[in-house]
C-alpha cells in the first residue's frame, strides 16, 4: 500500500526534474550567436529592406549578388528572410518616401544600393542598421566617420575603382592617346570623388585630363558629341546616371570612333572598350554576407570596417575593339575576360 501511494509522486518529481533539466540544457546549448539573433527573438523571420537607386545592369547584378550572399549565409528569400526591394528610379522624392516606408515596415536591417539611395535612407534613421552595397566612398558621401571605424548605424561595401590599374591598361591599349575626358554626373558625390582620383592617376601617366560633368541625363548626348571632338578617349566612373544611359553614350561615341574606358565590367559589356573592374556580382555577395552577420548579431555597424575590394579583373570588348580598329596587345588579352565576341 505504502509503495503504490508513493509511486505517482516519485514519477511526478522525476518528470519535473527531467523537464527542468531538458529546458535548462536546451537553453544552454544555444550559442551566443543565436541568442542575439534578431529573427528568433520574436519567432518571426527577419525582414531586410533594400533601397536601390535606379535600374542599370551593374546595380541589378549587385542585387542578384546580395540575395545569393544572404542565401549562402542561411537567409533565403521567402523562407528564412523576407526581402523587400524598392527602386527609386533616380527620383529624389521617391527615394525619400521609400526610405520612410522601409523604416515603418520594421526592417531588421536595411541595404542601400548606390550612393544617392544611401544618402536618402541615412537621413531617415540613426538606429536601424544600414549596409552599404557598392558605395564608392562612404566618407566623402557623409555616410560614415571613417571606413575603419564607421561609428554609427552604417557599414558595408565600397566599390572604389582600381584607378591606377585602369590607367595602366588605358595607356597600354591606347598608346597614342594624349587627352582623356571624364564623363559624369555633377549630382553624384560618388562620381565627383572618383573623377578626382582618376584625374590624378591619369596625369601621373602623362595624360592631359578634362572634366565633363552633366547636370542631368538630358545633357548626355550633347556632352558626348562635344567630348568626341576634344578628347582621345572617354573615361566613365561608376556613375549611375551615365550607366543608365550607356547605350546612348556608346552610340554617340562610336560615330567618331572615340574609345570608352569605363570603370566596371558591366559597362564594358554594354559597349565600353576595356577596363580593370570589380566584379559587380561579388560586391553584392559580400554585401549580403555582411547583412547576414548583422542579422545574426555577430557584428555591429559601428565597429565593422567598410569592406573595400582592392583589385579588379581585366575585361575587353572584342567587338568594340574591332569596330574602333584597335589591336589589343597579346599580353592584355591573355589575362582578360573577353566579351562581345
Ligand atoms: N558606386 C556607385 C555609387 O556609389 C554605385 C555603382 C556600383 C555603380 N557599381 C556601379 C554605378 C557601376 C555605375 C556603374 O553610387
Amino acid at each position: 500500500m505504502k509503495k503504490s501511494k508513493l509511486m505517482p509522486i516519485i514519477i511526478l518529481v522525476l518528470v519535473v526534474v527531467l523537464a527542468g533539466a531538458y529546458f535548462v540544457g536546451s537553453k544552454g546549448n544555444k550559442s551566443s550567436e543565436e541568442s542575439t539573433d534578431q529573427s528568433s527573438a520574436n519567432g518571426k523571420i527577419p525582414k531586410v529592406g533594400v533601397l536601390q537607386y535606379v535600374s542599370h545592369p551593374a546595380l541589378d547584378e549587385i542585387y542578384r549578388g546580395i540575395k545569393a550572399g544572404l542565401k549562402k549565409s542561411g537567409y533565403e528569400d521567402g523562407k528564412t528572410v523576407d526581402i523587400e526591394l524598392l527602386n527609386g528610379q533616380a527620383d529624389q522624392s521617391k527615394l525619400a518616401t521609400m526610405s520612410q516606408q522601409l523604416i515603418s515596415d520594421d526592417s531588421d536591417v536595411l541595404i542601400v544600393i548606390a550612393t544617392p539611395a544611401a544618402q536618402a535612407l541615412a537621413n531617415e534613421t540613426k538606429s536601424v542598421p544600414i549596409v552599404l552595397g557598392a558605395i564608392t566612398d562612404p566618407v566623402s558621401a557623409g555616410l560614415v566617420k571613417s571606413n575603419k571605424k564607421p561609428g554609427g548605424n552604417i557599414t558595408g561595401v565600397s566599390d572604389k575603382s582600381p584607378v591606377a590599374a585602369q590607367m595602366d591598361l588605358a595607356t597600354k591599349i591606347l598608346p597614342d592617346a594624349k587627352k582623356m575626358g571624364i564623363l559624369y554626373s555633377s549630382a553624384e558625390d560618388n562620381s565627383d570623388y572618383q573623377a578626382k582620383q582618376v584625374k590624378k592617376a591619369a596625369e601621373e601617366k602623362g595624360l592631359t585630363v578634362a572634366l565633363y560633368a552633366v547636370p542631368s541625363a538630358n545633357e548626355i548626348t550633347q556632352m558626348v558629341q562635344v567630348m568626341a571632338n576634344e578628347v582621345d578617349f572617354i573615361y566613365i566612373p561608376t556613375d549611375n546616371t551615365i550607366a543608365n544611359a550607356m547605350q546612348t553614350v556608346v552610340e554617340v561615341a562610336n560615330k567618331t570612333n572615340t574609345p570608352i574606358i569605363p570603370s566596371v565590367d558591366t559597362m564594358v559589356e554594354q559597349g565600353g572598350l576595356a577596363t580593370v573592374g570589380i566584379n559587380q556580382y561579388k560586391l553584392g555577395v559580400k554585401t549580403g554576407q555582411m547583412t547576414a552577420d548583422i542579422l545574426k548579431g555577430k557584428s555591429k555597424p559601428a565597429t565593422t570596417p567598410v569592406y573595400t575590394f582592392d583589385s579588379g579583373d581585366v575585361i575587353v570588348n572584342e567587338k568594340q575593339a574591332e569596330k574602333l580598329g584597335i589591336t589589343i596587345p597579346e599580353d592584355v588579352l591573355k589575362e582578360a575576360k573577353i566579351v562581345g565576341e
Side-chain angles (χ1 to χ4, degrees):
M1 271 308 267
K2 239 184 176 182
K3 249 186 184 175
S4 61
K5 257 192 176 175
L6 269 177
M7 255 338 248
I9 298 168
I10 292 169
I11 290 170
L12 191 73
V13 169
L14 263 174
V15 166
V16 168
V17 168
L18 280 175
Y22 177 75
F23 185 64
V24 169
S26 70
K27 246 195 164 175
N29 275 340
K30 275 200 168 185
S31 65
S32 58
E33 172 192 323
E34 271 176 308
S35 61
T36 48
D37 190 325
Q38 313 202 1
S39 52
S40 56
N42 50 14
K44 282 192 312 192
I45 63 170
K47 203 163 191 175
V48 172
V50 184
L51 185 63
Q52 178 172 332
Y53 176 51
V54 71
S55 275
H56 60 68
L59 301 192
D60 295 346
E61 195 62 7
I62 291 165
Y63 179 63
R64 217 167 59 79
I66 288 173
K67 279 174 73 171
L70 275 166
K71 192 174 167 190
K72 249 191 206 173
S73 315
Y75 293 104
E76 185 174 359
D77 190 21
K79 286 191 179 150
T80 42
V81 68
D82 180 9
I83 304 177
E84 182 183 11
L85 169 69
L86 298 182
N87 189 318
Q89 268 131 25
D91 180 327
Q92 286 304 332
S93 71
K94 267 193 192 151
L95 288 170
T97 19
M98 287 175 171
S99 298
Q100 286 154 6
Q101 187 184 330
L102 288 171
I103 289 160
S104 62
D105 284 351
D106 275 341
S107 305
D108 295 296
V109 178
L110 297 159
I111 300 177
V112 281
I113 310 178
T115 301
Q119 290 169 325
L121 192 57
N123 256 340
E124 302 294 335
T125 179
K126 298 282 173 266
S127 57
V128 185
I130 297 179
V131 183
L132 308 171
I135 304 302
T136 306
D137 185 49
V139 175
S140 66
L143 295 163
V144 298
K145 281 197 201 90
S146 89
N147 284 340
K148 259 195 186 149
K149 282 196 191 126
N153 60 324
I154 306 178
T155 187
V157 174
S158 158
D159 64 327
K160 204 172 281 186
S161 267
V163 287
Q166 288 172 348
M167 291 302 104
D168 268 347
L169 180 75
T171 46
K172 229 183 201 174
I173 296 181
L174 308 165
D176 299 329
K178 291 185 179 63
K179 187 170 175 187
M180 174 175 98
I182 307 175
L183 174 65
Y184 66 107
S185 154
S186 55
E188 291 187 35
D189 286 336
N190 41 299
S191 305
D192 188 51
Y193 171 85
Q194 206 186 320
K196 282 182 196 133
Q197 300 290 314
V198 78
K199 182 173 188 283
K200 229 171 43 199
E203 284 167 353
E204 272 164 24
K205 284 262 149 203
L207 293 164
T208 320
V209 179
L211 305 181
Y212 297 84
V214 289
S216 79
N218 298 333
E219 293 80 16
I220 292 176
T221 302
Q222 204 197 343
M223 190 61 101
V224 178
Q225 282 163 349
V226 171
M227 294 177 86
N229 288 322
E230 296 180 357
V231 304
D232 297 316
F233 73 96
I234 297 171
Y235 177 88
I236 306 175
T238 49
D239 185 289
N240 300 288
T241 311
I242 309 295
N244 198 25
M246 192 61 187
Q247 225 180 339
T248 314
V249 176
V250 173
E251 264 167 39
V252 180
N254 274 351
K255 284 190 186 144
T256 50
N257 275 349
T258 309
I260 299 170
I261 301 289
S263 45
V264 287
D265 48 3
T266 47
M267 286 170 124
V268 174
E269 282 158 12
Q270 287 175 283
L273 175 60
T275 195
V276 184
I278 300 163
N279 183 292
Q280 301 297 296
Y281 181 77
K282 280 190 198 159
L283 284 169
V285 171
K286 182 69 190 170
T287 307
Q289 287 168 336
M290 287 179 85
T291 305
D293 284 348
I294 294 171
L295 281 172
K296 289 175 184 166
K298 269 190 191 170
S299 58
K300 289 197 164 50
T303 48
T304 306
V306 170
Y307 188 89
T308 308
F309 282 79
D310 48 16
S311 65
D313 307 316
V314 179
I315 176 165
V316 172
N317 188 325
E318 203 132 71
K319 207 161 108 197
Q320 269 301 315
E322 230 169 78
K323 210 180 258 174
L324 300 165
I326 291 165
T327 316
I328 309 284
E330 267 309 311
D331 61 322
V332 172
L333 282 179
K334 240 191 340 215
E335 55 162 345
K337 177 184 169 200
I338 313 286
V339 295
E341 283 169 288

